[in-house]
Amino acid sequence: MAESADMEQLLTSFKKFAIHGDTKATGKELNGKNWAKLCKDCRIIDGKNVTATDVDIVFSKVKQKTSRVVTYEEFQRALEDLAPKRFKGQSKEEALESIYKLVEGREPTNVGVTKMAKAKAVDRLTDASRYTGSHKERFDESGKGKGREGREEIVEKTGYVGAYKNAGTYGDKMKTEK
């Protein structure tokens, strides 16, 4: 069997794949989707000896009848089932070592994840300095939104007319006239 350090790396990889894509996952159980991802990312699926169908069949074989997930022990049994099929020319122990080496220390990859589009059209449409009309009032000079102040006309309850420029100067005028 593999050394304890290698088994630690295998357990770490199991936990990383177990929590991948699921915020509620504890890392103790691996679902079928993540098992297939693990086999694909770690290159256990080679398309010739081991296919995605083989991986699904082994998953169904090792899990409990009513369960939809596998534990770490069942995960190890699944790797033991796939090892001789993946590495045909090797003995069962050598094949198991080889398949453990494929999985050890690996993490889920994010190949093909959608990136944010950065096109000239997007830049042109989101440039607040080019806005006109009422939309122009919603942003300051730097392009930052004004929030509610830019969307609604906020009434000041000062007693002065909205466009009056000398608001708050009445007291000063009265003092100078005396």
Side-chain angles (χ1 to χ4, degrees), residues 67-118:
S67 180
R68 298 176 73 144
V69 292
V70 293
T71 62
Y72 180 65
E73 290 75 27
E74 293 167 336
F75 164 74
Q76 285 180 311
R77 273 202 327 250
L79 289 178
E80 288 171 16
D81 285 355
L82 282 176
K85 191 165 188 164
R86 173 68 167 87
F87 299 100
K88 285 191 175 172
Q90 299 178 354
S91 70
K92 189 166 181 145
E93 290 77 27
E94 289 174 337
L96 192 58
E97 283 292 322
S98 299
I99 207 162
Y100 282 168
K101 285 199 181 350
L102 286 177
V103 179
E104 286 168 0
R106 298 295 298 262
E107 294 182 11
T109 58
N110 290 328
V111 176
V113 175
T114 306
K115 306 262 187 304
M116 190 172 114
K118 192 71 176 163

Side-chain angles (χ1 to χ4, degrees), residues 18-62:
I19 61 171
H20 180 73
D22 187 5
T23 56
K24 296 180 184 112
T26 60
K28 296 178 181 171
E29 296 174 326
L30 187 71
N31 63 21
K33 177 181 72 75
N34 288 354
W35 161 250
K37 180 165 182 56
L38 179 141
C39 291
K40 184 176 167 222
D41 289 355
C42 297
R43 294 191 179 98
I44 294 171
I45 297 175
D46 61 356
K48 210 168 24 172
N49 297 329
V50 178
T51 63
T53 308
D54 296 327
V55 168
D56 290 336
I57 290 169
V58 168
F59 181 82
S60 296
K61 204 186 305 181
V62 297

